[in-house]
Amino acid sequence: MAATTAVRPITGMLRRGLMLDLGLSLGLGFVMANAYWYGYHVPRTNARDVYYKKLEEERAARIGA
């Protein structure tokens, strides 16, 4: 009588899990990096540039240049 087990063989599961983990982490990292870059960094940089441009224009108008 042959022994049967309800446990699946382990072969390939480590590689599949590793690929899933790497794919999810890289994908989520890319999404979060884009959310930070375009959701926070770029708008703040544009606001800073507009502020300093306005200051420079006021300074130039005050000096008369």
Side-chain angles (χ1 to χ4, degrees):
M1 179 184 231
T4 60
T5 62
V7 178
R8 296 184 309 193
I10 298 175
T11 55
M13 292 180 70
L14 179 62
R15 185 178 65 130
R16 193 173 334 146
L18 181 64
M19 294 303 286
L20 179 66
D21 289 347
L22 283 174
L24 283 175
S25 61
L26 289 173
L28 276 173
F30 182 75
V31 167
M32 294 305 291
N34 276 308
Y36 165 76
W37 190 259
Y38 293 109
Y40 177 77
H41 176 75
V42 170
R44 291 303 310 147
T45 302
N46 290 338
R48 182 199 63 206
D49 292 345
V50 167
Y51 172 76
Y52 282 116
K53 183 177 179 183
K54 186 181 90 171
L55 279 181
E56 182 62 27
E57 289 170 353
E58 289 175 358
R59 186 195 65 79
R62 200 173 39 232
I63 292 176

